[in-house]
Amino acid sequence: MNIFECIKSSFRNVFSNKMRTILTMLGIIIGISSVILIVSIGNGSQAAIEEEFESFSAGSLNISMSTSNDIETRDMLTMEDYDILKNIEGVSYVSPQCSGSNTYIKLLDPKETKSASVSGVTSDLQYIDNVNLLYGRYISNNDVDMRTNVAVITDTTAINVFGKCSEDVIGQQISLKTWKGTTKFYVVGIIENTNASTETEYSDEYPESITIPVSTAMRLYGVDFVTGFTVLTESTDNSDFMKNIIISVLEKEHGNEDKYYIQDSSEMVESINSILSYVTLFISFVAGISLLVGGIGVMNIMMVTVTERTREIGIRKSIGAKNKDIRIQFISEAVILTGTGGLLGLFFGYIGALIVGNIVNIEPVMSITSIIAAVGISMAIGIIFGVTPANKAAKLDPIEALRYE
Amino acid sequence: MEMLRLENIYKQYNQGELSVTALNNINLTVNEGEFVSIMGSSGSGKSTMMNILGCLDSPTEGLYLLEGEDVSKYNDSKLAEVRNKKIGFVFQSFNLLPKMTAIENVELPMVYSNVPIKIRHEKAKAALEKVGLEKRIHHKPNELSGGQRQRVAIARALVNNPAIIMADEPTGNLDSKSTFEIMEIFQRLNDEGTTIVMVTHEPDVATYTKRIVTFKDGNIINDAPVTERTIAGEGVN
């Protein structure tokens, strides 16, 4: 009996009892669809997190004050630390970060303002953050030295403030309101907002981000210290070593201990991803149990089918079916049962992922690997749980089977 | 020409410690074109005889030559092949697959011998025409009468051009009219050269055949030609 013939007749047998077939498939459908749902949502959120962190280039280190300890004035990070950090071997770029609170920007409608997140930086940040400059230029060293009132804004801010994002915006002024009053800044450059997609989604929660020279920012907020530093090292391989050096240099300079904290962007992505993959793994494990139960259900039904069809097996054997033919027939019926269940599970899982993704705002990612794995695993379940019933069928004695009522 | 020969065939069944001898030193030869009845009361060994002749079972001891081929020591797989190519079964309870149409049932033996679908279709149609069911080829068994079902079974038995047709009480579930029809078909096929071995316990059905072999307690007690043969159809001599 050729394989095509066998598959054709198996399809017919499997779908001749629709109700039973669907009920038997249910375990597989539920198992596969939950795996697909979980994995595609998991992959989707992983991709979203990676995109979120894309703005930090790999290996960039964020130095900040520890929040848990009492901070004294001598512990504050200053521009002197900036000069020290610049000269550490292995450090390619350093930018101070100086940001203040309660800053508002005037929008297109002169009566409206929106909170702004202002960062004082040096020109190095464009290399650390992989800035994509759309128009104009970035903050220059001269701006920092001269404390000029210039600003680099994002494309989304340009639209919110000027109603457009074009060359014309360069040279125009934005107004920033702090507790000290209103200050005007000339726009010198527009950069791409890498978080545009998420920010538009929650535009009210995200402040407009404005980049100005660090020296200007310190004057704006009336401070003589900075919030922290962003450092890009020459190599990402020895980031732990670099972290230790930077911390020890800063501690030596300030004569203190345990006051500084370094966050490694790649480490953060990794740790979030590893939590995510544990969650995915755990839920997949639970779904795997449902597949196991589904497989046992398939085996049970196949056992019943073999008993019910004993006479048919006898007839087939009497007209020349070999044990092998009978075995292949029942295995292929089991595989068709679970394979169809797998395909349906794939379909329902994807639909479910789209629905859940819509609710939690994550675009599900369904990889080819997961499709192949889902169908492959469900078919493998058919083989594994179909072999025993198929062997039982194949080994039936034709004389006994023909006599079976 | 010799179609099958049994030499010193023994068949023993072991039931626990008890050993039952179903066939005791059977010697039998059937030539091509013969139409043989096997008769006997229940427990006489005629069913065991049928199973061995039909290659559904192997003898415990002895030699079984089918068309000169010794099939007595064959394994399951080889026996299946012999059943497929050389033997056509007709059973008392028809044994058609209920979910398949008449023509699909007839095609089934050819499915197992990998006959291409087109040829299979033509041959199955021709076989159904031979038993007068050309108008019922797409009917399922439950849409056919008992006699018609048995005719489908005969078409299925014929379709692979077997060396021999084994009929096990083929008229046991049929009324006298259908019995007559079936025997007419058997006699016609036999006249065309098909060798038929039929198990029956009805003496009047046996008179349609040409030779009666009678079993008792696992032995052949009588083997004689039919003297007053019943002819079912016209043009049969």
Side-chain angles (χ1 to χ4, degrees), chain B:
Chain B
M1 203 191 100
E2 186 181 281
M3 195 50 96
L4 63 85
R5 189 165 88 233
L6 301 180
E7 277 179 21
N8 310 317
I9 291 283
Y10 285 88
K11 182 65 188 179
Q12 272 160 340
Y13 292 109
N14 292 314
Q15 291 174 326
E17 285 176 22
L18 215 72
S19 168
V20 180
T21 304
L23 292 177
N24 188 11
N25 194 19
I26 299 295
N27 288 284
L28 179 73
T29 303
V30 175
N31 290 318
E32 190 177 358
E34 276 202 83
F35 191 177
V36 185
S37 294
I38 293 178
M39 294 196 67
S41 53
S42 65
S44 62
K46 65 180 197 300
S47 288
T48 308
M49 185 72 226
M50 192 71 189
N51 289 337
I52 287 173
L53 285 177
C55 290
L56 288 166
D57 205 354
S58 301
T60 315
E61 246 179 78
L63 192 70
Y64 175 16
L65 295 171
L66 181 62
E67 285 192 309
E69 192 182 344
D70 181 11
V71 298
S72 47
K73 301 286 180 294
Y74 275 8
N75 62 18
D76 285 355
S77 170
K78 280 216 154 178
L79 284 177
E81 215 173 304
V82 172
R83 288 197 293 272
N84 186 251
K85 300 234 160 70
K86 298 196 172 179
I87 293 163
F89 282 102
V90 178
F91 298 97
Q92 179 175 4
S93 49
F94 324 129
N95 280 343
L96 300 174
L97 295 186
K99 284 174 192 165
M100 292 186 168
T101 61
I103 192 157
E104 284 170 330
N105 266 293
V106 176
E107 280 180 34
L108 204 56
M110 294 186 285
V111 169
Y112 287 112
S113 49
N114 290 322
V115 175
I117 191 154
K118 220 176 147 189
I119 299 173
R120 207 162 78 199
H121 223 70
E122 282 166 15
K123 278 189 165 181
K125 226 169 151 180
L128 281 166
E129 270 168 28
K130 221 170 188 173
V131 296
L133 280 179
E134 61 275 14
K135 285 181 183 151
R136 294 261 190 297
I137 60 173
H138 295 304
H139 285 61
K140 288 193 174 166
N142 60 8
E143 298 159 348
L144 298 170
S145 71
Q148 287 169 332
R149 287 185 211 181
Q150 196 60 299
R151 283 194 270 162
V152 174
I154 294 169
R156 180 179 67 186
L158 280 175
V159 82
N160 258 354
N161 289 323
I164 190 161
I165 286 187
M166 301 278 171
D168 189 358
E169 307 264 10
T171 58
N173 282 355
L174 298 177
D175 56 26
S176 54
K177 184 173 168 283
S178 300
T179 300
F180 187 79
E181 276 171 20
I182 296 301
M183 293 323 293
E184 185 194 343
I185 291 170
F186 274 147
Q187 286 189 333
R188 181 155 47 81
L189 291 172
N190 181 243
D191 285 344
E192 289 165 15
T194 310
T195 313
I196 302 171
V197 175
M198 180 175 79
V199 170
T200 183
H201 65 271
E202 295 169 76
D204 51 330
V205 171
T207 60
Y208 287 99
T209 65
K210 290 176 180 169
R211 174 185 170 192
I212 300 178
V213 179
T214 312
F215 276 71
K216 193 182 179 189
D217 299 332
N219 293 299
I220 295 177
I221 53 163
N222 192 22
D223 185 351
V226 175
T227 44
E228 285 180 44
R229 199 170 172 222
T230 317
I231 303 301
E234 299 164 2
V236 178
N237 303 313

Side-chain angles (χ1 to χ4, degrees), chain A residues 82-327:
Chain A
Y82 169 67
D83 293 325
I84 294 165
L85 288 176
K86 257 199 317 198
N87 295 321
I88 293 177
E89 202 175 324
V91 170
S92 341
Y93 298 107
V94 187
S95 171
Q97 294 279 359
C98 177
S99 44
S101 49
N102 293 326
T103 310
Y104 297 91
I105 183 166
K106 275 195 182 159
L107 296 182
L108 190 57
D109 178 353
K111 278 173 243 156
E112 283 207 43
T113 58
K114 189 181 171 188
S115 72
S117 147
V118 175
S119 321
V121 304
T122 60
S123 66
D124 274 9
L125 194 70
Q126 62 183 309
Y127 310 115
I128 300 169
D129 272 3
N130 277 331
V131 163
N132 182 14
L133 199 60
L134 299 173
Y135 300 104
R137 62 175 179 83
Y138 202 70
I139 304 294
S140 69
N141 287 330
N142 191 45
D143 292 328
V144 177
D145 292 345
M146 305 301 290
R147 292 196 206 172
T148 50
N149 279 1
V150 296
V152 172
I153 59 174
T154 65
D155 46 357
T156 43
T157 307
I159 287 165
N160 286 341
V161 176
F162 299 104
K164 61 188 173 183
C165 171
S166 69
E167 192 74 49
D168 304 344
V169 175
I170 307 295
Q172 299 212 40
Q173 284 185 319
I174 54 170
S175 300
L176 293 182
K177 235 169 77 181
T178 62
W179 59 275
K180 285 171 78 180
T182 304
T183 318
K184 292 197 184 272
F185 287 81
Y186 285 99
V187 175
V188 292
I190 301 176
I191 58 171
E192 186 189 11
N193 184 353
T194 47
N195 298 325
S197 57
T198 20
E199 284 186 18
T200 347
E201 217 55 80
Y202 308 97
S203 56
D204 293 336
E205 294 162 42
Y206 275 84
E208 302 296 333
S209 34
I210 317 287
T211 312
I212 61 173
V214 62
S215 48
T216 317
M218 288 165 84
R219 192 183 58 196
L220 184 69
Y221 294 111
V223 293
D224 51 8
F225 51 83
V226 295
T227 332
F229 297 100
T230 308
V231 171
L232 187 66
T233 56
E234 282 166 9
S235 157
T236 52
D237 301 337
N238 56 353
S239 64
D240 282 338
F241 175 70
M242 286 307 294
K243 277 193 241 177
N244 287 336
I245 288 189
I246 291 167
I247 295 273
S248 63
V249 165
L250 288 175
E251 285 177 349
K252 197 178 154 207
E253 177 66 20
H254 292 268
N256 57 15
E257 264 184 358
D258 295 337
K259 301 282 181 184
Y260 307 110
Y261 171 71
I262 297 187
Q263 212 171 28
D264 186 337
S265 64
S266 56
E267 208 172 64
M268 276 169 70
V269 175
E270 254 166 51
S271 68
I272 292 173
N273 278 351
S274 81
I275 291 168
L276 254 177
S277 60
Y278 275 121
V279 171
T280 307
L281 197 74
F282 174 73
I283 300 177
S284 302
F285 176 73
V286 174
I289 291 174
S290 123
L291 282 180
L292 181 76
V293 174
I296 293 168
V298 169
M299 182 151 132
N300 188 23
I301 283 299
M302 289 308 290
M303 283 293 191
V304 172
T305 305
V306 169
T307 309
E308 275 180 357
R309 285 161 63 189
T310 300
R311 201 181 176 96
E312 176 195 325
I313 294 161
I315 296 169
R316 285 178 183 270
K317 282 195 163 188
S318 75
I319 60 171
K322 294 176 183 169
N323 293 358
K324 187 186 74 185
D325 295 320
I326 302 291
R327 185 178 297 120

